[in-house]
Amino acid sequence: MKTYKHLWDKFISMENLELAAKKAVKSKKSKWSTKVFEKNKKQYLIKLQQMLIDGSFNTSPYRIRKIYEPKERLIYILPLYPDHIVHHALINILGPIWQSSFIRDSYACIPGKGLHKASNTIMCFIRRNKYVLQCDIRKFYPSINHKIVFNIIKKKIADKKLLNVLHNIIWSCGGETNLPIGNLTSQWLGNVYLNEMDHFIKEQLHCEDYIRYCDDFCLFSNDKNILHEYKKKIKIFIQDKLKLTFSKSCVYPVSRGIAFIGYRHFKNFIMLRKYGAKKMRKRIFNIAVYNDYSELAVGQLASYRGWAKWCCSYNFIIDICKKVFLISQSSALFIYNKIFKI
């Protein structure tokens, strides 16, 4: 395995820090902290560069917020400066290195991939297989072991100064486990962690039709006994090597439909999952009742359009518009013409 040693100078270069800052402020330009940073960006970046050089950079204290949708989780929030910029600067350098080691059918948080490419791949696998083994990891990010993930990183990254920065970020929330949900680095390190399992499944189990999106993954076969064997071996591997456990793992016919990445996939069509459709309907009705045409509401509706247009949702959207029409005619026309004309 190729190792990379001389990365520090690229990481702390002003060119890389400026690119990281550009990415970090994207979609956050209305925030007060962003405006303060942008006003004196050059001075802030020079100061950050010096902090990295003299080793005085430390992860800032987290602000923790609990969310309940789609499930109860703790979100860890860091300031834009210096943390988000450092995280983006790290991924600018390490992202391409890690991505080169990922398997083809890992789709989460990887540039050029994403939900819809994963959905297309699922459809291909469904059409040539009868059964699926679908698994999910229990409390994935809170269960990631710091020592194990750091040892995995050291297999490819041998730059000591860069490893010190990564060590500071990985252990920033204390304890032996937990990568904070909300950090850009956590998304990538989660992929690095489960990349070990990906290669085990592809190279030792020799499963040809396998796909993973974050901690949700599926293996396909025309023989359900093979999938049961895969299940046993994967369970042992993740327990022994990664200190993880399943939250669910079941083998069933693909004809039942596969609930994955917000859609329910069948052989000849794709539908929205019930939970997602219910959430969408509730939000649209609230917009109609309160005549909410704010920038936030329009953005949410636009995201729903992007979500709905990739599946069989026409009748669902028409039904919503008819019911919204009874509440507010102008809202119904706005929603249909501007957002859901798909």
Side-chain angles (χ1 to χ4, degrees), residues 8 40 91 97 111 117 156 176 218 243 245 286 297 325 339:
W8 182 252
N40 300 286
I91 298 308
I97 294 171
K117 288 196 175 182
K156 288 189 78 72
E176 296 181 358
C218 298
K243 309 299 181 188
T245 57
N286 284 339
F325 190 81
I339 306 300

Side-chain angles (χ1 to χ4, degrees), residues 89-147:
L90 280 169
I91 298 308
N92 287 345
I93 303 302
L94 299 177
I97 294 171
W98 286 334
Q99 191 173 343
S100 66
S101 69
F102 295 161
I103 65 167
R104 179 185 62 191
D105 290 322
S106 172
Y107 287 89
C109 310
I110 298 175
K113 294 191 176 182
L115 291 176
H116 302 310
K117 288 196 175 182
S119 182
N120 290 338
T121 300
I122 280 277
M123 293 301 288
C124 291
F125 291 167
I126 287 174
R127 287 167 182 157
R128 64 188 187 214
N129 293 281
K130 293 180 181 178
Y131 301 98
V132 61
L133 164 62
Q134 186 169 15
C135 306
D136 198 356
I137 304 295
R138 183 183 302 278
K139 295 184 177 179
F140 174 54
Y141 285 106
S143 300
I144 292 177
N145 185 281
H146 296 158
K147 288 183 179 179

Side-chain angles (χ1 to χ4, degrees), residues 72-83:
E72 186 175 316
R73 294 185 294 178
L74 292 177
I75 302 298
Y76 294 75
I77 303 167
L78 287 171
L80 169 71
Y81 178 87
D83 300 89

Side-chain angles (χ1 to χ4, degrees), residues 91-292:
I91 298 308
N92 287 345
I93 303 302
L94 299 177
I97 294 171
W98 286 334
Q99 191 173 343
S100 66
S101 69
F102 295 161
I103 65 167
R104 179 185 62 191
D105 290 322
S106 172
Y107 287 89
C109 310
I110 298 175
K113 294 191 176 182
L115 291 176
H116 302 310
K117 288 196 175 182
S119 182
N120 290 338
T121 300
I122 280 277
M123 293 301 288
C124 291
F125 291 167
I126 287 174
R127 287 167 182 157
R128 64 188 187 214
N129 293 281
K130 293 180 181 178
Y131 301 98
V132 61
L133 164 62
Q134 186 169 15
C135 306
D136 198 356
I137 304 295
R138 183 183 302 278
K139 295 184 177 179
F140 174 54
Y141 285 106
S143 300
I144 292 177
N145 185 281
H146 296 158
K147 288 183 179 179
I148 294 174
V149 72
F150 195 64
N151 287 335
I152 293 170
I153 292 167
K154 288 195 292 185
K155 291 179 184 178
K156 288 189 78 72
I157 308 302
D159 188 306
K160 290 184 179 180
K161 291 180 180 179
L162 204 62
L163 286 173
N164 287 338
V165 177
L166 283 166
H167 187 282
N168 182 279
I169 293 170
I170 290 169
W171 269 269
S172 60
C173 58
E176 296 181 358
T177 64
N178 192 14
L179 288 185
I181 298 172
N183 286 354
L184 173 65
T185 48
S186 294
Q187 297 173 17
W188 279 87
L189 292 174
N191 266 335
V192 169
Y193 203 66
L194 286 185
N195 188 48
E196 301 292 298
M197 181 188 72
D198 295 342
H199 283 279
F200 171 74
I201 291 170
K202 298 295 284 186
E203 296 164 11
Q204 296 189 41
L205 300 185
H206 304 290
C207 178
E208 186 175 336
D209 292 347
Y210 163 70
I211 183 172
R212 180 174 65 81
Y213 194 94
C214 195
D215 61 325
D216 195 358
F217 57 96
C218 298
L219 296 83
F220 294 82
S221 176
N222 287 306
D223 185 342
K224 63 181 177 181
N225 293 323
I226 289 176
L227 293 177
H228 282 294
E229 284 299 313
Y230 287 165
K231 177 180 171 180
K232 292 176 187 176
K233 292 177 179 177
I234 295 169
K235 183 178 181 180
I236 293 169
F237 178 85
I238 65 170
Q239 285 177 343
D240 292 349
K241 302 292 184 181
L242 303 176
K243 309 299 181 188
L244 300 172
T245 57
F246 288 140
S247 64
K248 69 176 181 182
S249 57
C250 52
V251 176
Y252 59 91
V254 298
S255 58
R256 278 174 43 185
I258 300 173
F260 193 74
I261 56 170
Y263 298 109
R264 195 165 185 86
H265 298 80
F266 294 86
K267 187 174 182 179
N268 296 312
F269 60 93
I270 304 172
M271 297 176 64
L272 289 172
R273 292 181 67 176
K274 287 183 180 179
Y275 172 82
K278 185 178 178 180
K279 182 180 176 182
M280 184 190 295
R281 182 186 282 111
K282 181 180 178 181
R283 178 63 181 128
I284 291 171
F285 284 169
N286 284 339
I287 289 171
V289 168
Y290 297 105
N291 291 315
D292 181 6

